[in-house]
Amino acid sequence: VQLVESGGGLVQAGGSLRLSCAASGTIFSINAMGWYRQAPGKQRELVAAITSGGSTNYADSVKGRFTISRDYAKNTMYLQMNSLKPEDTAVYYCNADIRTSYFDSSFNRYWGQGTQVTVSS
């Protein structure tokens, strides 16, 4: 199983970016998926998460600005980021709880390699 993020880059404050996270490989089903970020010198923090049923939750710092969504048919998750601020600058990582076999009901958590988001003031 592999998770690949894309869509990061450099943007001015107030701008927008859309991140994508595509899961590939031997996938039977995907439960929750999430976006995390890690700024230099800081711990990795949850940005947003979405369940298999579509329920979402967001960090207080991004509520009203970021929107998480999923395309279940494509095993892909998105993060629409609007009104970006310099403090949103970080490496953004996606993760997913994935079941890889009909015969094994357990879910394992997988992580992507990260994509850099830089917001200039």
Side-chain angles (χ1 to χ4, degrees):
V1 174
Q2 189 176 18
L3 298 182
V4 178
E5 300 105 334
S6 60
L10 173 64
V11 64
Q12 289 187 334
S16 298
L17 284 173
R18 188 190 193 210
L19 305 183
S20 298
C21 171
S24 62
T26 304
I27 298 172
F28 180 78
S29 65
I30 301 177
N31 197 358
M33 301 183 77
W35 288 100
Y36 286 71
R37 66 186 181 187
Q38 187 167 19
K42 294 187 177 181
Q43 289 189 335
R44 190 174 297 190
E45 63 175 356
L46 174 68
V47 176
I50 184 167
T51 68
S52 57
S55 297
T56 60
N57 68 284
Y58 297 91
D60 287 343
S61 59
V62 307
K63 282 181 181 177
R65 300 188 298 122
F66 291 9
T67 302
I68 190 172
S69 61
R70 284 172 70 166
D71 183 327
Y72 294 85
K74 295 182 179 179
N75 288 334
T76 300
M77 174 180 62
Y78 305 97
L79 186 68
Q80 178 66 43
M81 305 186 295
N82 299 327
S83 303
L84 282 161
K85 304 175 181 180
E87 49 263 44
D88 294 318
T89 295
V91 177
Y92 283 70
Y93 299 89
C94 69
N95 71 10
D97 295 333
I98 298 175
R99 177 180 171 183
T100 57
S101 171
Y102 170 82
F103 301 102
D104 182 355
S105 61
S106 64
F107 286 81
N108 294 308
R109 176 157 293 185
Y110 296 85
W111 289 86
Q113 81 288 349
T115 185
Q116 177 70 46
V117 171
T118 303
V119 184
S120 63
S121 57

